[in-house]
Amino acid sequence: MARYVTTVSTSWSPEVAFAYMADLRNFAAWDPGVRRVQQVQGEGAGPGAEFDVTVAGLGRDQVLRYRTIEFDAPGDVMVLASNAVLTSEDRVTITAEDGGGASVTYDADLRLSGPLRLADPFLRLVFGRIGDRAAAGLRRTLAGAPPTS
């Protein structure tokens, strides 16, 4: 199992930060490992929303179908994706900060399936680097102006 957790402060309101983070169509804007996102169920963020997320893989890109399995606006959203190779469980928690703004915690848990679990030490190393790049993109995005709409 590989896990990556980062917390970023932003001047965005908790409601705006939650709406942005819960809508996986925004992933490609801040995570350089995400090539594209297509919504396949629902309209924007919400319970039951599903997204096909194309991620850069070792050797070739991989499409993961993420399903929104928990949605508690404006505080918590959890999405889950799995295929024959791996399972990815991502939770975003938004907390209001004193004096305004919000704290955004992104907690990603990646697990290999079946005999591939033997490669977990390698996955932890690679996922740490991938997570660092995504966290840097998230910090840049949340330091900018909030989205309009």
Side-chain angles (χ1 to χ4, degrees):
M1 174 180 75
R3 186 167 183 213
Y4 192 91
V5 180
T6 189
T7 300
V8 178
S9 291
T10 181
S11 63
W12 299 7
S13 72
E15 294 77 15
V16 169
F18 179 84
Y20 183 83
M21 295 300 297
D23 188 341
L24 271 59
R25 295 175 296 181
N26 294 315
F27 268 21
W30 59 267
D31 185 340
V34 174
R35 304 273 195 225
R36 77 185 142 275
V37 178
Q38 179 180 4
Q39 185 152 18
V40 295
Q41 183 72 34
E43 286 291 322
E50 294 185 15
F51 305 85
D52 280 349
V53 178
T54 304
V55 297
L58 297 173
R60 66 181 183 140
D61 291 351
Q62 208 174 150
V63 178
L64 298 169
R65 169 86 35 106
Y66 277 88
R67 292 177 295 115
T68 304
I69 59 173
E70 293 179 23
F71 188 87
D72 184 19
D76 188 67
V77 64
M78 184 168 147
V79 294
L80 178 70
S82 62
N83 61 23
V85 176
L86 60 87
T87 298
S88 180
E89 187 176 290
D90 300 35
R91 179 177 298 279
V92 177
T93 305
I94 310 294
T95 307
E97 290 188 341
D98 293 338
S103 177
V104 176
T105 299
Y106 197 97
D107 185 346
D109 183 7
L110 196 60
R111 295 180 301 275
L112 292 171
S113 301
L116 291 173
R117 287 187 190 140
L118 296 173
D120 270 346
F122 174 72
L123 177 64
R124 280 192 291 277
L125 177 66
V126 171
F127 196 47
R129 292 180 185 151
I130 292 168
D132 287 345
R133 288 192 295 271
L138 185 58
R139 281 191 299 276
R140 279 191 301 276
T141 297
L142 294 177
T148 57
S149 79

